[in-house]
Amino acid sequence: MRTNLAPTSLQAIEQSFAKLTSPPAPLSLDGCCIGFGMPERAIPLDELRVMLLKRRTSWHAVDAVWTELVRRAQDEGEPWVTAAIGMMMPALKKVAGDVARDFRGDIADFDSNIVEGFLYALKTVDPRTPRVYSRLRSMAQRYGMDARLDADRDRAQSTEYDDSLSTRYRPSVEGHPDLVLARAVRDHGLTDDEAGLIVRACLEGEGTSSLAEERGVSPYQFRRQLARAEARLKVFLSGSVPLPVA
């Protein structure tokens, strides 16, 4: 349980985001500039955040929104930095929940590390990079998982291994699946991208079609990429020589 009752970084940022998007002048993006079927009007960011979570919103629209958010955060700073973190908040909360699962200590540092990872990516990523949303989310997750690994190491604590992954891979491996993937990336058994594929397709249950569209490949090509990532993870867990990256 968390021993500090002060708001965590994520809670404080969500409060700031709520203020930025409150009437009478909510921070907005112009749907005409975004395109890809978005409403042709100024869209308050809290409303836009909900739109991006809907399955019918294409990944082209998601990429266009995040390209603009990253560009503004890099060129103009605040309030767009806070706005970008607020827009990513649903994903960051999911990452935070995964990182803190089964942890019996203070989780406030995990939130701070997740935000730090996101901010590092926000500062350094090229806004024109395809799938910029995924790159931002992946870096936040990596920082959070690194913090969890450090905390577990300090406490000499192992977390319960999730049955959904242990039945697919090696039952004798200890740790939450996200932590196992973080170790695989750290020890060069997987790339960040491969770990992200496994998390989103196998653990979070995202659909093949939407993930393939986001990556700009066919569903068949995506399934081959996922199979390759899973094969490399199995090799890592078996202790064999890692397969080369495709």
Side-chain angles (χ1 to χ4, degrees):
M1 293 179 62
R2 190 159 56 88
T3 57
N4 182 359
L5 297 181
T8 67
S9 293
L10 295 183
Q11 290 171 333
I13 292 167
E14 182 69 4
Q15 291 167 5
S16 297
F17 182 76
K19 292 178 181 178
L20 287 177
T21 55
S22 296
L27 196 62
S28 306
L29 284 180
D30 187 351
C32 296
C33 296
I34 298 170
F36 301 107
M38 302 303 285
E40 296 182 352
R41 57 176 173 81
I43 309 173
L45 293 188
D46 56 344
E47 179 184 352
L48 184 58
R49 185 170 70 176
V50 173
M51 290 179 181
L52 297 188
L53 294 175
K54 295 184 181 298
R55 288 188 178 274
R56 65 173 177 267
T57 302
S58 74
W59 273 103
H60 298 294
V62 173
D63 251 5
V65 168
W66 277 102
T67 293
E68 183 63 15
L69 288 170
V70 172
R71 185 191 67 77
R72 293 195 182 205
Q74 291 180 353
D75 292 349
E76 303 175 28
E78 293 293 356
W80 291 102
V81 172
T82 298
I85 307 175
M87 290 291 290
M88 185 63 73
M89 192 58 65
L92 297 183
K93 287 181 177 179
K94 176 65 170 62
V95 169
D98 289 341
V99 168
R101 189 176 301 169
D102 299 324
F103 188 73
R104 293 183 290 276
D106 191 338
I107 65 171
D109 285 346
F110 297 157
D111 284 1
S112 297
N113 277 273
I114 289 165
V115 172
E116 181 183 353
F118 177 83
L119 289 174
Y120 174 78
L122 185 66
K123 179 180 178 181
T124 58
V125 72
D126 185 339
R128 300 164 296 180
T129 300
R131 305 188 300 276
V132 66
Y133 165 86
S134 295
R135 293 175 184 270
L136 295 166
R137 185 186 189 279
S138 177
M139 188 60 71
Q141 182 166 2
R142 180 172 182 177
Y143 270 56
M145 288 302 172
D146 283 349
R148 173 62 187 269
L149 288 171
D150 289 342
D152 282 350
R153 191 180 301 114
D154 291 342
R155 296 166 61 90
Q157 171 183 319
S158 294
T159 52
E160 182 180 354
Y161 191 72
D162 186 275
D163 290 340
S164 66
L165 196 62
S166 64
T167 54
R168 299 190 60 168
Y169 301 114
R170 193 166 61 124
S172 60
V173 175
E174 294 181 353
H176 184 269
D178 280 331
L179 301 180
V180 173
L181 292 169
R183 293 187 189 103
V185 172
R186 181 192 62 191
D187 295 339
H188 308 292
L190 288 176
T191 66
D192 278 337
D193 185 61
E194 288 170 334
L197 284 183
I198 293 172
V199 167
R200 298 178 65 186
C202 300
L203 302 182
E204 297 182 355
E206 293 192 41
T208 297
S209 297
S210 61
L211 288 171
E213 180 184 358
E214 176 189 341
R215 298 175 68 84
V217 298
S218 69
Y220 171 75
Q221 290 172 315
F222 174 78
R223 285 192 292 270
R224 290 195 62 181
Q225 291 175 358
L226 178 60
R228 178 71 180 178
E230 290 180 312
R232 279 171 48 80
L233 178 59
K234 289 178 182 179
V235 168
F236 171 77
L237 295 179
S238 72
S240 303
V241 177
L243 295 172
V245 178

